[in-house]
Amino acid sequence: MFHLPVLLALFFALLSLVEAATVTYNFNITWVRANPDGAFERPTIGINGEWPLPIITATKGDTVIVNVDNQLGNQSTTLHFHGLFMNGSTSMDGPASVTQCGIQPGSQFTYNFTVDQSGTYWYHSHDKGQYPDGLRAPLIVSDPEFPYKFDEEIVLSVSDWYHEEMQTLIPKFLNKANPTGAEPVPQNPLLNDTQNLTVAIQPGKTYLFHVVNIGAFAGQYLWFEGHNMTIVEVDGVFTEQAEAEMIYISAAQRYSFLLTTKNDTTTNYAFVSSMDTDLFDTLPSDLNWNSTGWLIYDEAKSKPDPAFIDEFNDFDDFTLVPYDKQGLLPEPDQLITFDVIMDNLGNGKPYAFFNNITFTPPKVPTLYTVMTTGSDAANPAVYGEYVHPFVLAKDQIVEIVVNNLDSGKHPFHLHGHNFQAIVRSEESAGSFDITNTSQTVYPSIPMRRDTFVLRPEGHIVLRFQANNPGVWLFHCHIEWHVDQGLIATMVEAPLELQKSLTIPQGHFDTCVKGNIPYAGNAAGNTVDFLDLTGVNKQPDPLPAGFTAKGIVAMTFSVLAAVIGMVVITWYGMADMGEASKAAEQARLAQSSSS
């Protein structure tokens, strides 16, 4: 005979199943044309013939199905649902060469997963640095048990925008002519994929804003004139209420905050999103790094210009307290330390490194190696050195230390999890020293999120529990740094994953269409899993003594020599008659070909 508590538990479990829905999206991905900043029309990746893209919405507990039809014609693609843990569904996480093969032009693929989280997320391509061409948009998961009261919801995206396509920009960026690795500077910032955005509001109401930075590069400062923000969520983690006048949102970060409007409707108010120009190596003379929008109380009233500010005084997200007050995780079972290095390899091109390894995609996507190498899946060697793999045991506590040996900021993101941020140093504090007691005073209730900013020449310490078997990337979310290889791979509980996961046939069909192997180790060896002959490798290192400055100097020296030869030749031929010129040109041509 069932006891009342058991019956109640069964009742509520059945009720949740009845209430859960299946939400289906059919995405025909094509090129369209768009001009969001009003300055330049360009090819943009749209969905169902439109851009901006649709916002995906669901309720916690729903099953989400996204049917993708890639009709780009000239590029493969994938979709990643950023911030969703994909519990039990690592095959739906989306990174090409990691959990799937790229969806080939003219091919279809279905993402099917259950959402067991709520909050503010986004979806974007995770293939070939493609998403800044427009394939990115918010994803909002509502929660009937959201802990705070509000009247209406508003979704606000901030982003940066480039006039050139990524397939043009990336080869210019990853080029020996750019040895210092200067990232392309965007042409403009956008709010909700436009400029001069207006948001109609009503007096005396509380709005829940979901803000997502869907940009490629620029972190952005955001503030609302005449109004404060009350932060209640970051990256899908509900927080204790925290008042802020200004927030900083790195690429890929999300915030939700409550904003209560005034009772007076006599004035409209500007709000501003300002790109973090500290990230840019150069500031083009025509760059406008601010995007202004307005809270509209009365359409008949003017839209005032925003006031100038003397400095950015943004809220420190490290001080946030999660609503569930989860305590500091125990001491780690596994410690991983990364040094962030930006440098060149022997081909002269600029790369990004974790501990001298720059990510190089394997021949076989890493998840398929997990599923086809038997007990050797617990050996990191089968995944290849250049995906930078770490095999994590089920439920162990993992600590990641990231030391920034670079002079720029880096927003680091972990797939499949959020993490406790237990240390963040100030700028120029140097590397983490676990023996220095002043650096190891950890908060008892650390803030959690899935994307966290590492300051220039400083360090961060992150901690999480490996309770989600799968293959999960850890990487900087500046897309240029992803292109440069600032990525590591967490292979979590691979032997357990073999028992619990069935990969849909659609995965293998996609690989076949792209002529990509889907079994064996990283080199595609299905006989000897520890034989990595033929594996994809990073380029050889620079010869000893070469530096980025040396490459620049050598490049200009060669260029100067070429120019000098041209000038000498020009002067030598300047007094010749046409017949003599022709004869001399013929002689030079003959001698150069012999």
Side-chain angles (χ1 to χ4, degrees):
M1 185 173 181
F2 288 113
H3 295 291
L4 182 60
V6 176
L7 288 172
L8 285 173
L10 287 171
F11 171 77
F12 285 115
L14 289 170
L15 184 63
S16 66
L17 288 174
V18 171
E19 291 179 343
T22 297
V23 183
T24 302
Y25 290 87
N26 297 310
F27 285 174
N28 181 22
I29 298 178
T30 64
W31 290 103
V32 300
R33 298 194 68 83
N35 185 7
D37 61 0
F40 186 80
E41 184 179 276
R42 51 153 291 180
T44 304
I45 300 178
I47 288 178
N48 302 333
E50 297 183 351
W51 192 90
L53 306 187
I55 297 172
I56 291 179
T57 60
T59 301
K60 184 178 179 180
D62 284 353
T63 295
V64 176
I65 297 173
V66 181
N67 297 309
V68 173
D69 186 358
N70 178 9
Q71 294 299 323
L72 290 172
N74 62 342
Q75 295 183 22
S76 62
T77 194
T78 68
L79 290 182
H80 169 58
F81 305 89
H82 182 113
L84 296 183
F85 299 156
M86 296 294 173
N87 290 97
S89 303
T90 187
S91 58
M92 298 294 147
D93 194 46
S97 302
V98 181
T99 60
Q100 70 171 95
C101 299
I103 308 166
Q104 299 301 307
S107 299
Q108 295 75 41
F109 189 90
T110 296
Y111 296 94
N112 186 332
F113 53 90
T114 298
V115 180
D116 56 6
Q117 303 157 251
S118 57
T120 309
Y121 306 94
W122 60 304
Y123 68 96
H124 62 84
S125 167
H126 216 303
D127 189 12
K128 296 185 300 299
Q130 183 184 68
Y131 84 76
D133 283 334
L135 189 44
R136 73 290 184 279
L139 187 161
I140 308 299
V141 184
S142 61
D143 190 339
E145 298 181 355
F146 184 74
Y148 301 109
K149 294 185 181 299
F150 61 91
D151 297 303
E152 295 182 30
E153 294 177 83
I154 295 172
V155 178
L156 178 66
S157 68
V158 301
S159 60
D160 45 26
W161 188 248
Y162 292 86
H163 288 169
E164 288 188 281
E165 295 174 49
M166 294 300 281
Q167 61 187 349
T168 300
L169 284 172
I170 291 174
K172 292 180 182 178
F173 169 57
L174 297 177
N175 195 295
K176 60 186 178 183
N178 182 34
T180 61
E183 301 88 350
V185 175
Q187 270 67 51
N188 275 302
L190 301 176
L191 288 165
N192 280 358
D193 283 325
T194 190
Q195 292 195 323
N196 301 314
L197 177 70
T198 58
V199 178
I201 55 172
Q202 296 179 0
K205 285 193 171 184
T206 297
Y207 291 86
L208 176 63
F209 275 78
H210 300 280
V211 180
V212 190
N213 187 337
I214 59 176
F217 183 17
Q220 303 215 22
Y221 298 92
L222 177 68
W223 67 95
F224 291 75
E225 295 192 352
H227 300 74
N228 277 352
M229 297 168 276
T230 303
I231 300 168
V232 293
E233 178 232 334
V234 288
D235 296 358
V237 178
F238 297 152
T239 69
E240 293 289 296
Q241 295 187 57
E243 294 294 317
E245 296 180 358
M246 176 186 293
I247 56 176
Y248 181 89
I249 316 164
S250 77
Q253 286 187 327
R254 293 91 63 208
Y255 278 85
S256 288
F257 53 80
L258 301 173
L259 185 149
T260 299
T261 56
K262 301 178 181 297
N263 292 319
D264 183 1
T265 63
T266 58
T267 305
N268 298 320
Y269 291 86
F271 61 93
V272 179
S273 187
S274 182
M275 293 195 294
D276 180 4
T277 58
D278 287 347
L279 293 165
F280 304 159
D281 282 29
T282 59
L283 283 181
S285 59
D286 60 347
L287 177 66
N288 176 19
W289 52 83
N290 291 337
S291 183
T292 302
W294 287 269
L295 298 177
I296 301 297
Y297 282 84
D298 186 344
E299 286 280 0
K301 299 292 192 303
S302 65
K303 298 191 289 289
D305 291 334
F308 288 101
I309 62 171
D310 294 325
E311 61 180 351
F312 295 117
N313 185 24
D314 53 301
F315 182 88
D316 183 0
D317 62 334
F318 187 78
T319 65
L320 290 169
V321 178
Y323 186 80
D324 61 12
K325 294 184 172 60
Q326 181 190 87
L328 177 68
L329 290 170
E331 288 297 305
D333 303 298
Q334 183 165 351
L335 175 63
I336 299 169
T337 299
F338 291 127
D339 289 342
V340 175
I341 302 166
M342 317 299 278
D343 206 348
N344 305 84
L345 289 175
N347 58 12
K349 297 178 182 180
Y351 292 90
F353 304 82
F354 280 139
N355 305 346
N356 298 313
I357 294 176
T358 184
F359 181 89
T360 306
K363 291 184 176 179
V364 175
T366 302
L367 177 61
Y368 304 156
T369 294
V370 170
M371 301 301 290
T372 60
T373 52
S375 60
D376 282 331
N379 185 342
V382 302
Y383 305 109
E385 177 183 0
Y386 299 104
V387 304
H388 214 158
F390 293 84
V391 174
L392 311 179
K394 179 74 164 64
D395 291 327
Q396 71 176 174
I397 305 301
V398 182
E399 186 166 292
I400 299 177
V401 175
V402 189
N403 298 312
N404 192 359
L405 308 188
D406 177 49
S407 59
K409 299 173 186 172
H410 295 275
F412 279 103
H413 170 56
L414 177 62
H415 290 223
H417 295 272
N418 53 42
F419 42 70
Q420 293 185 339
I422 63 174
V423 173
R424 176 165 59 196
S425 77
E426 295 299 324
E427 184 174 340
S428 302
S431 296
F432 180 68
D433 180 3
I434 199 168
T435 66
N436 184 342
T437 56
S438 68
Q439 294 184 8
T440 56
V441 180
Y442 305 140
S444 58
I445 303 175
M447 68 88 69
R448 298 198 311 276
R449 63 185 317 163
D450 62 51
T451 308
F452 192 56
V453 175
L454 170 64
R455 291 171 176 150
E457 298 173 335
H459 58 264
I460 56 175
V461 182
L462 314 173
R463 196 175 283 185
F464 69 97
Q465 184 172 23
N467 56 8
N468 187 15
V471 177
W472 312 114
L473 294 184
F474 178 74
H475 64 90
C476 176
H477 217 291
I478 290 175
E479 190 59 27
W480 304 113
H481 300 168
V482 172
D483 300 332
Q484 287 181 286
L486 197 51
I487 306 172
T489 307
M490 306 295 154
V491 182
E492 189 170 329
L495 302 186
E496 286 83 352
L497 191 61
Q498 291 175 353
K499 300 172 186 175
S500 62
L501 182 68
T502 299
I503 296 178
Q505 181 62 38
H507 273 249
F508 308 129
D509 295 342
T510 298
C511 296
V512 169
K513 290 177 180 176
N515 197 29
I516 301 169
Y518 54 86
N521 65 16
N525 192 328
T526 58
V527 178
D528 182 353
F529 299 138
L530 298 181
D531 180 0
L532 276 294
T533 302
V535 73
N536 294 336
K537 297 181 179 181
Q538 68 188 39
D540 292 333
L542 278 171
F546 272 73
T547 64
K549 290 182 178 178
I551 295 171
V552 172
M554 183 177 69
T555 300
F556 278 99
S557 296
V558 171
L559 182 60
V562 171
I563 292 172
M565 291 295 293
V566 170
V567 171
I568 290 169
T569 302
W570 182 80
Y571 270 107
M573 298 175 68
D575 293 329
M576 292 180 181
E578 292 301 322
S580 298
K581 286 183 183 178
E584 181 65 9
Q585 288 168 344
R587 186 188 69 78
L588 289 172
Q590 184 176 5
S591 64
S592 65
S593 63
S594 61

